[in-house]
Amino acid sequence: MPKLIYSFLSSLDGYVADRNGGFDWAEPDEEVLAFINDLERPLRSYLYGRRLYEMMTGWETDPSFAGLSPASADFAEIWKAAEKVVYSTTLDEAPTTKTRIERAFDPEAVRRLKAASATDIAIGGPTLAAHALKAGLVDEIQLFIAPVLVGGGLKMFPDGGSLPLVLLDTRRFDGGMTYLRYQVVQDLAE
């Protein structure tokens, strides 16, 4: 069965945004973005919370995103080709193609989506991912750890509970970012 993969960039102390909502400290360099592209290329579906989706829409709606670098152009094409499901109670319509809006996160609907998918599915945004983690839907976690401590902000993982993991892969990049890939051990999760 295809996997639901939670992948995100975070600070060493586990935040995806600092106290001011900034995350420029996590911007991937060309080497990291090329690696991310290789991970994302086989995916055909993304599940997003509204805030992350709105941040990502530029990959389709703003040509300057693709013009930043060859890896950026590649990522824009990968992102535009994927189906996107956005969970939002406030978004009325999506400005991007291949996008549908769901008003509420339904774990059973995500289970059906996984069962029907021919490829792995990505989930993004810590609030949405928290729902999927609590429902036991996440099969794999891919962390890109930036070499910075931000001291507070939006956490990558929800508080409470524990989740056993098995390390599958690691990689250190020249700019100091580190990639960690874990399998979630669902039968031991609380």
Side-chain angles (χ1 to χ4, degrees), residues 129-150:
H131 293 295
L133 286 161
K134 289 177 182 175
L137 293 169
V138 176
D139 302 293
E140 190 170 296
I141 298 171
Q142 297 174 353
L143 303 171
F144 288 85
I145 308 296
V148 63
L149 300 171
V150 299

Side-chain angles (χ1 to χ4, degrees), residues 24-87:
D24 55 335
W25 42 264
E27 185 175 328
D29 63 19
E30 194 74 358
E31 179 190 21
V32 173
L33 187 53
F35 184 80
I36 290 171
N37 289 347
D38 289 342
L39 295 174
E40 299 282 317
R41 196 176 324 285
L43 304 177
R44 296 291 177 255
S45 300
Y46 295 120
L47 309 181
Y48 286 124
R50 180 193 51 81
R51 283 180 290 192
L52 179 59
Y53 169 73
E54 287 179 337
M55 184 188 77
M56 297 296 290
T57 60
W59 290 105
E60 183 172 331
T61 63
D62 184 345
S64 70
F65 279 44
L68 294 172
S69 70
S72 294
D74 190 22
F75 184 82
E77 292 305 313
I78 292 165
W79 197 84
K80 287 188 282 189
E83 298 289 329
K84 293 161 276 293
V85 180
V86 181
Y87 295 88

Side-chain angles (χ1 to χ4, degrees), residues 42 46 52-53 59 62-63 76 79 92 97 101 104 108 116-117 140 164 170 173 177 183 190:
Y46 295 120
L52 179 59
Y53 169 73
W59 290 105
D62 184 345
W79 197 84
D92 291 323
T97 60
I101 299 170
E108 290 308 314
S117 182
E140 190 170 296
T170 64
F173 296 93
M177 184 129 356
Q183 175 187 345
E190 296 181 348

